[in-house]
């Protein structure tokens, strides 16, 4: 039979193995989970920066290509136009024109002379991507490859078609090192990450690592995100190089914990048999526990440097905070511990808001949401918070843990967008009030004249009942006209957010009714070629298309008056194309200068005097048509003036 001391030692050993296993599993899970979340955030953020930087620098090729297309292949203004484009870009080394794929123009030419006369369709290293660009009709990012003039670069090629015939390429050469430098991706090293960029090589069709660290560890997780580049895909890999529990280390910890548990069980057996050695063994056990505690604390400190988290008791009193959270709030750990999060509260939230949050986490659920807080310095900051209840081994609530993400930059951008649209709305309201005045002036004048005449004729007793009824009927007709006008304006101004199936011709008619009186007063003839008997069904947000049409009408009116055009007119037409229904508005004001045509839809860009325009109208029109209504809006110059095209998808 086993002795009592042996049975106790075996049971304790099993318990210690179980506890050690759970501690290692829990600690490893927490470390991997936090590093995994942090790595995903870092990867997503850096990938977004790379995509935006590539997009910003490759747009120069698009602009150059459109410029050549507008000039019908004339390259005489290439140098002056390229100089203007390059002044805004840091990573673009030069711009090129290659009619029929043969490089003829480069700006700046100095240092790039070797590339002149280079035939892209005959270069084995470049022809595959060049033919792909021509075939796809799309902007294509080619490379990276070794440049003829030295160095490594990538080329954004825009195929130019004039009258549906291939003219050649408009290209932007981007030095790869300069592009990477402008993304600050090299700062990942300071955050204990290595990175690399790769793509599927067009010739070998194998994954090609073309930039960054090629020596990634096979024992640690690699995080990958695809990058959308023009007519292709790059991939960004990152790998965390800091403290990370590898499989071999975990196995070692398991082995060590088992050995320690067996050792402790054996020591307990000796203690039970030798009571006088109990104190000595207790000291040894404390030392082992302290060593393990230090290791765990070291891992927690690492997490605390990067993760915004805090713990509270069941009453909301802060019991633990990370170093990263202290840095964000500006408060020291000593100032936060023992306090509640009310020290960071923003006064704009109602008591019901916090009551709802508290009830959610008290009920055992996780609360998520965005919060605006106030740092110690007094400045505001925004966090996306996830607050979860925390339980002990008996499933009793012991407090709450909150994980946060700093979204101050995102919220600042959103607030600026709200101000931007509010400004545009006020401008539209001002124009709307002017149109209402023009619509009501003639009916109100007629009503006033009829009423005054009735009073005079009645007092003079020179009017019969039939004439009275006739004039009263005319007054009723005018009031009905005013009522219809009110309904039209109210329908335009009513706030709607959902897309509805509606009749396109009715929306155009409502816009025409609003602007018609203003145009007539200014002596502008509206040529209306819309077939209002045709009932075209489209999906619209009521009021938005009217806002765009009125915007273009008002711009045309201002241009005609500013240019003092004799016999001014605005022509309104519509037709169906393979892209859907197209609405066109043309005037005879002479057109928009070609040098500013590419910028007319940019925010705050205006050619009007500051008292006449804010530069918000056409940008808002662009957002409504392209983003809200899923269509397209653009402008061209005709022999008469400017002509705007609005393309809307038809209901299938």
């Amino acid at each position: 039979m086993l002795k009592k001391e042996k049975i106790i030692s075996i049971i304790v050993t099993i318990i210690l193995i179980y506890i050690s296993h759970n501690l290692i599993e829990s600690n490893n899970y927490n470390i991997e989970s936090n590093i995994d979340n942090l790595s995903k955030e870092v990867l997503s953020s850096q990938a977004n920066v790379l995509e935006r930087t590539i997009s910003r620098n490759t747009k120069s090729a698009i602009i150059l290509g459109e410029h050549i297309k507008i000039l019908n292949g004339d390259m005489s203004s290439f140098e002056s136009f390229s100089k203007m484009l390059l002044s805004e870009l840091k990573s673009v080394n030069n711009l090129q024109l290659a009619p029929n794929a043969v490089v003829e123009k480069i700006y700046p030419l100095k240092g790039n002379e070797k590339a002149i006369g280079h035939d892209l369709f005959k270069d084995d290293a470049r022809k595959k991507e060049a033919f792909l660009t021509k075939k796809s009709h799309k902007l294509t990012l080619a490379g990276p490859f070794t440049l003829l003039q030295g160095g490594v670069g990538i080329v954004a090629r825009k195929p130019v078609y004039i009258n549906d015939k291939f003219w050649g390429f408009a290209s932007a050469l981007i030095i790869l090192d300069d592009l990477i430098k402008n993304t600050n991706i090299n700062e990942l090293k300071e955050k204990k990450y290595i990175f690399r960029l790769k793509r599927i090589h067009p010739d070998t069709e194998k994954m090609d690592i073309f930039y960054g660290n090629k020596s990634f560890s096979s024992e640690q997780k690699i995080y990958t995100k695809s990058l959308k580049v023009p007519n292709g895909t790059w991939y960004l890999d990152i790998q965390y190089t800091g403290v990370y529990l590898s499989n071999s280390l975990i196995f070692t910890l398991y082995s060590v914990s088992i050995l320690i548990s067996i050792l402790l069980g054996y020591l307990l057996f000796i203690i039970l048999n030798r009571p006088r050695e109990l104190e000595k063994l207790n000291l040894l056990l404390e030392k082992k526990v302290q060593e393990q505690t230090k290791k765990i604390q070291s891992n927690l400190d690492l997490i605390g440097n990067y993760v915004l988290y805090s713990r509270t008791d069941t009453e909301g009193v802060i019991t633990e905070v990370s170093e990263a959270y202290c840095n964000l709030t500006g408060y020291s750990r000593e100032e936060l511990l023992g306090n509640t999060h009310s020290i960071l509260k923003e006064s704009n939230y109602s008591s019901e808001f916090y009551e709802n949050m508290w009830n959610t986490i008290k009920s055992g659920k996780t609360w998520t949401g965005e919060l605006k807080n106030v740092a110690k310095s007094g400045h505001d900051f925004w966090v996306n918070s996830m607050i979860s209840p925390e339980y002990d081994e008996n499933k009793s609530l012991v407090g709450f843990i909150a994980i946060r993400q700093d979204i101050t930059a995102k919220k600042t951008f959103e607030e600026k967008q709200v101000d931007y649209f509010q400004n545009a709305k006020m401008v539209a309201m001002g124009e709307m009030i002017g149109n209402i005045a023009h619509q009501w002036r003639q009916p109100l004048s007629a009503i006033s004249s009829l009423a005054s005449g009735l009073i005079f004729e009645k007092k003079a007793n020179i009017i019969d009942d039939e004439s009275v009824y006739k004039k009263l009927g005319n007054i009723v007709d005018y009031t009905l006209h005013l009522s219809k006008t009110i309904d039209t304006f109210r329908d335009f101004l009513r706030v709607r957010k959902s897309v509805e199936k509606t009749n396109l011709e009715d929306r155009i008619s409502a816009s025409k009714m609003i602007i018609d009186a203003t145009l007539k007063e200014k002596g502008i003839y509206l040529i209306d070629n819309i077939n209002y008997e045709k009932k075209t069904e489209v999906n619209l947000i009521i009021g938005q298309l009217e806002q765009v049409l009125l915007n273009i009408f008002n711009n045309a009116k201002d241009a005609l008056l500013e240019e003092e055009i004799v016999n001014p007119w605005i022509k309104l037409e519509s037709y169906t194309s393979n892209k859907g229904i197209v609405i066109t508005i043309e005037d005879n004001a002479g057109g928009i200068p070609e040098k500013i045509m590419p910028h007319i839809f940019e925010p705050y860009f205006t050619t009007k005097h500051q008292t006449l325009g804010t530069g918000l109208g056409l940008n808002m029109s662009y957002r409504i048509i392209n983003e809200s209504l899923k269509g397209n809006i653009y402008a061209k110059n005709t022999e008469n003036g400017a002509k705007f095209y609005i393309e809307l998808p038809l209901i299938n």
Side-chain angles (χ1 to χ4, degrees):
M1 294 181 64
L2 293 173
K3 293 181 179 182
K4 176 182 177 181
E5 291 81 6
K6 288 186 177 181
I7 294 174
I8 293 174
S9 300
I10 292 172
I11 292 174
V12 170
T13 300
I14 294 172
I15 292 173
L16 288 173
I17 292 173
Y18 176 78
I19 293 173
S20 300
H21 178 271
N22 283 349
L23 284 174
I24 294 171
E25 284 289 327
S26 176
N27 189 48
N28 181 50
Y29 174 80
N30 288 335
I31 293 174
E32 289 186 352
S33 178
N34 284 295
I35 292 177
D36 186 70
N37 290 335
L38 179 62
S39 298
K40 289 176 181 177
E41 290 182 10
V42 170
L43 177 63
S44 178
S45 174
Q46 197 59 60
N48 288 336
V49 172
L50 273 167
E51 285 185 338
R52 289 197 301 270
T53 304
I54 292 170
S55 175
R56 182 169 61 250
N57 285 282
T58 55
K59 280 183 179 179
S60 58
I62 299 176
I63 296 172
L64 179 59
E66 291 299 318
H67 177 70
I68 292 300
K69 184 177 179 181
I70 291 172
L71 297 179
N72 204 29
D74 182 6
M75 298 186 292
S76 60
S77 63
F78 168 73
E79 290 190 4
S80 59
F81 188 79
S82 298
K83 183 177 181 181
M84 178 190 70
L85 284 181
L86 290 180
S87 65
E88 301 296 328
L89 301 171
K90 296 181 179 179
S91 299
V92 177
N93 180 263
N94 63 67
L95 297 174
Q96 302 178 5
L97 289 179
N100 295 317
V102 178
V103 178
E104 288 188 13
K105 295 280 187 178
I106 300 178
Y107 182 85
L109 181 60
K110 187 176 181 180
N112 300 297
E113 293 85 355
K114 292 183 179 179
I116 295 295
H118 183 65
D119 192 334
L120 300 175
F121 285 159
K122 295 181 179 180
D123 188 333
D124 292 336
R126 293 165 173 77
K127 66 181 182 181
K128 189 168 186 178
E129 290 175 318
F131 281 117
L132 171 64
T133 305
K134 177 183 177 183
K135 182 179 179 181
S136 67
H137 288 227
K138 295 179 180 179
L139 175 72
T140 301
L141 189 63
F145 38 66
T146 301
L147 303 173
L148 295 175
Q149 58 271 41
V152 176
I154 53 177
V155 178
R157 291 198 183 98
K158 169 68 177 177
V160 179
Y161 284 82
I162 299 176
N163 298 324
D164 295 327
K165 182 179 180 181
F166 177 68
W167 177 86
F169 296 113
S171 305
L173 175 64
I174 302 168
I175 301 301
L176 187 58
D177 283 336
D178 292 343
L179 177 72
I180 298 301
K181 181 180 179 181
N182 287 331
T183 64
N184 296 323
I185 194 173
N186 290 312
E187 293 180 4
L188 286 176
K189 185 177 181 181
E190 298 176 6
K191 299 178 181 179
K192 298 185 179 180
Y193 285 93
I194 56 176
F195 77 96
R196 64 189 179 193
L197 288 168
K198 58 187 182 182
R199 63 163 185 162
I200 297 177
H201 198 282
D203 295 325
T204 64
E205 295 185 354
K206 294 181 179 180
M207 193 62 73
D208 173 41
I209 300 171
F210 61 85
Y211 198 92
N213 194 313
K214 298 185 179 181
S215 302
F216 274 49
S217 172
S218 60
E219 294 184 0
Q220 295 186 10
K221 187 173 181 178
I222 299 174
Y223 298 86
T224 301
K225 187 173 181 61
S226 61
L227 307 177
K228 294 298 181 182
V229 300
N231 209 12
T233 304
W234 285 4
Y235 300 90
L236 173 63
D237 290 346
I238 66 169
Q239 187 176 70
Y240 183 68
T241 60
V243 178
Y244 210 122
L245 297 182
S246 63
N247 291 332
S248 59
L249 180 57
I250 293 173
F251 176 79
T252 301
L253 289 174
Y254 284 151
S255 302
V256 171
S257 65
I258 292 173
L259 290 175
I260 292 175
S261 299
I262 293 173
L263 176 61
L264 293 176
Y266 177 72
L267 292 175
L268 178 61
F269 174 76
I270 295 176
I271 290 171
L272 292 174
N273 284 279
R274 300 177 184 178
R276 61 189 175 200
E277 298 181 4
L278 180 59
E279 183 176 356
K280 181 179 179 180
L281 292 176
N282 278 338
L283 293 173
L284 178 62
L285 181 60
E286 281 184 8
K287 183 179 179 181
K288 295 294 183 182
V289 171
Q290 289 175 357
E291 291 175 354
Q292 291 297 320
T293 302
K294 287 181 180 179
K295 291 181 180 179
I296 294 173
Q297 188 60 47
S298 176
N299 292 331
L300 291 176
D301 290 342
L302 173 68
I303 296 170
N305 289 332
Y306 296 100
V307 181
L308 303 172
Y309 76 86
S310 64
R311 275 192 172 91
T312 68
D313 60 17
T314 55
E315 300 301 320
V317 177
I318 300 173
T319 58
E320 185 180 347
V321 290
S322 67
E323 186 67 25
Y325 191 55
C326 292
N327 293 336
L328 178 64
T329 64
Y331 288 97
S332 66
R333 181 176 279 104
E334 290 73 19
E335 290 174 311
L336 291 174
L337 295 179
N339 215 324
T340 66
H341 286 96
S342 61
I343 193 174
L344 302 169
K345 280 184 181 177
E346 214 281 340
S347 59
N348 288 338
Y349 293 103
S350 63
S351 58
E352 289 79 12
F353 175 84
Y354 289 108
E355 183 178 349
N356 174 63
M357 178 196 300
W358 192 250
N359 290 338
T360 300
I361 59 178
K362 277 271 192 177
S363 66
K365 299 178 181 177
T366 296
W367 183 91
T368 57
E370 297 179 350
L371 286 171
K372 184 179 183 182
N373 292 151
V374 180
K376 183 178 180 181
S377 63
H379 74 271
D380 297 333
F381 66 92
W382 282 87
V383 291
N384 187 12
S385 300
M386 181 176 67
I387 307 174
S388 304
E390 189 174 15
Y391 301 93
D392 61 13
E393 61 274 7
N394 297 321
K395 297 185 178 180
S396 298
L397 182 66
V398 295
F400 306 98
I401 183 168
I403 304 294
R404 301 170 180 85
Q405 178 188 7
D406 185 3
I407 57 170
T408 304
K410 169 179 170 286
K411 297 300 291 186
T412 301
F413 174 77
E414 291 175 352
E415 290 171 358
K416 288 182 178 179
Q417 288 293 92
V418 170
D419 293 340
Y420 164 72
F421 282 110
Q422 186 64 26
N423 289 337
K425 182 178 178 182
M426 294 304 295
V427 172
M429 287 292 292
E431 294 174 347
M432 185 63 59
I433 292 171
N435 288 323
I436 291 174
H438 288 303
Q439 284 282 357
W440 282 18
R441 185 174 292 122
Q442 192 272 336
L444 288 175
S445 177
I447 291 172
S448 177
S449 297
L450 287 169
S452 300
L454 276 173
I455 293 172
F456 174 78
E457 292 173 347
K458 191 66 177 177
K459 286 181 178 180
N461 197 24
I462 58 173
I463 188 170
D464 55 24
D465 290 344
E466 183 179 352
S467 297
V468 170
Y469 291 134
K470 182 178 180 180
K471 291 188 176 183
L472 288 175
N474 290 334
I475 291 175
V476 170
D477 290 339
Y478 280 120
T479 56
L480 289 175
H481 175 75
L482 290 175
S483 177
K484 183 178 179 182
T485 304
I486 292 172
D487 290 339
T488 300
F489 282 110
R490 183 173 56 190
D491 190 49
F492 175 77
L493 295 173
R494 186 179 297 131
V495 177
R496 287 182 172 91
K497 294 184 179 179
S498 59
V499 174
E500 303 176 17
K501 184 169 72 173
T502 186
N503 180 267
L504 179 67
E505 285 74 23
D506 288 346
R507 306 321 325 150
I508 297 175
S509 178
S511 303
K512 176 189 171 185
M513 178 180 179
I514 293 172
I515 197 68
D516 195 44
T518 302
L519 296 180
K520 288 179 179 177
E521 184 187 62
K522 301 297 182 182
I524 299 173
Y525 179 52
L526 178 60
I527 305 171
D528 187 1
N529 293 334
I530 302 296
N531 180 9
Y532 292 100
E533 294 182 359
K534 182 181 180 182
K535 303 299 181 183
T536 307
E537 290 188 340
V538 292
N539 287 322
L540 296 176
I541 298 176
I542 302 300
Q544 286 195 343
L545 178 61
E546 293 93 314
Q547 185 174 352
V548 173
L549 293 175
L550 289 175
N551 225 335
I552 299 173
F553 277 133
N554 280 320
N555 285 346
K557 176 200 70 178
D558 292 342
L560 290 166
L561 296 177
E562 183 178 348
E563 297 297 328
E564 300 180 350
I565 301 298
V566 179
N567 299 322
W569 54 260
I570 299 175
K571 185 187 294 184
L572 176 63
E573 296 180 323
S574 69
Y575 61 88
T576 303
S577 71
N578 57 354
K579 295 182 179 180
I581 187 73
V582 181
I583 305 168
T584 65
I585 301 175
E586 182 183 6
D587 60 57
N588 65 334
I592 300 170
E594 293 296 338
K595 66 179 181 179
I596 68 170
M597 179 70 83
H599 305 289
I600 61 174
F601 293 107
E602 296 176 1
Y604 301 106
F605 184 87
T606 178
T607 59
K608 300 179 183 179
H609 189 271
Q610 60 183 3
T611 61
L612 297 177
T614 64
L616 297 173
L618 285 180
N619 178 252
M620 175 166 280
S621 299
Y622 179 87
R623 287 175 173 269
I624 289 173
I625 298 300
N626 289 64
E627 298 175 10
S628 181
L629 304 184
K630 310 302 180 186
N632 188 28
I633 182 172
Y634 57 93
K636 295 180 180 179
N637 283 326
T638 67
E639 61 182 6
N640 301 306
K643 188 173 185 179
F644 282 81
Y645 297 77
I646 301 172
E647 298 175 350
L648 295 173
L650 292 170
I651 297 178
N652 295 328

